[in-house]
Amino acid sequence: YEVTQSEFQSIMGSNPSKSTKSPDCPVDNVSEDDARKFCLTLGERTATDSRLPTEAEWEYASRAGKSTKWFFGDDGSKIGDYAWFKTNSEEKYHKVGQKNPNAWGLYDMHGNVSEWTLDQYDSKSYYRYLGQNVSNPYEKPTKLYPRVIKGGSWMNSSYRLRSASRQGSSK
């Protein structure tokens, strides 16, 4: 599931969340820089290699072995069983792990809050590799392009929550 406010607080010593303040809600209002610092600090404290996923890694985990629009299939009418989004969120974040997980036991891959990835966002990145024998393409961000965010959030339509959907953000 997404990093909770209490987990972020315990690692970073602060909680930047601006919306619902709850230890079990996902941390929000996290910059890309703060997300990377969280991963670095977590890795140091746990003696593990911790980093943001590449866009391809995120999508692979989201799909859980499927090739459909969402990990549960192509029927968008079922999204409410798996995600908090514009139609069911009551315009706020919700506690993590409240919806059904994907086949690999990963919760909140769609909706609630969007997730940062390592990749830069531009109209040609990532998808230029489709059809090629590249398992994990990576586009190193530059100052010209923001980072890719995946998964969509509570304020997005179900279309933005598809596994392949991608948005850019520099905040």
Side-chain angles (χ1 to χ4, degrees):
Y1 54 82
E2 297 150 329
V3 175
T4 65
Q5 292 178 30
S6 64
E7 290 168 333
F8 195 89
Q9 174 81 39
S10 72
I11 298 296
M12 301 304 290
S14 64
N15 179 2
S17 298
K18 287 192 175 178
S19 52
T20 307
K21 291 280 189 176
S22 171
D24 297 326
C25 279
V27 66
D28 66 275
N29 196 44
V30 176
S31 69
E32 173 268 330
D33 190 50
D34 286 343
R36 285 187 302 108
K37 287 178 183 174
F38 173 85
C39 291
L40 180 64
T41 305
L42 176 66
E44 289 170 352
R45 289 193 183 174
T46 60
T48 60
D49 183 24
S50 181
R51 63 169 172 78
L52 295 172
T54 64
E55 181 176 4
E57 289 168 339
W58 186 96
E59 192 168 327
Y60 179 78
S62 171
R63 290 182 181 280
K66 305 282 183 163
S67 60
T68 52
K69 291 179 184 176
W70 300 275
F71 61 76
F72 56 84
D74 289 322
D75 183 358
S77 69
K78 296 179 181 179
I79 190 75
D81 293 337
Y82 301 92
W84 295 110
F85 68 114
K86 190 174 189 173
T87 303
N88 69 355
S89 68
E90 300 173 348
E91 299 184 3
K92 64 181 181 180
Y93 302 108
H94 292 267
K95 291 180 180 179
V96 301
Q98 299 298 301
K99 296 291 186 175
N100 294 329
N102 70 12
W104 293 348
L106 301 174
Y107 291 85
D108 303 320
M109 292 301 293
H110 303 298
N112 219 11
V113 296
S114 298
E115 288 95 28
W116 289 107
T117 71
L118 280 175
D119 290 81
Q120 80 173 7
Y121 178 86
D122 72 43
S123 62
K124 297 175 185 170
S125 66
Y126 186 57
Y127 292 105
R128 79 177 89 208
Y129 297 100
L130 293 178
Q132 298 180 26
N133 190 19
V134 179
S135 62
N136 189 12
Y138 172 62
E139 294 285 335
K140 185 176 181 178
T142 67
K143 291 183 179 183
L144 297 175
Y145 297 102
R147 296 256 182 187
V148 173
I149 56 173
K150 299 287 281 183
S153 76
W154 63 268
M155 65 181 87
N156 292 128
S157 68
S158 61
Y159 181 79
R160 281 286 183 207
L161 276 59
R162 294 171 301 117
S163 296
S165 183
R166 57 201 307 269
Q167 297 175 324
S169 182
S170 57
K171 298 180 182 180

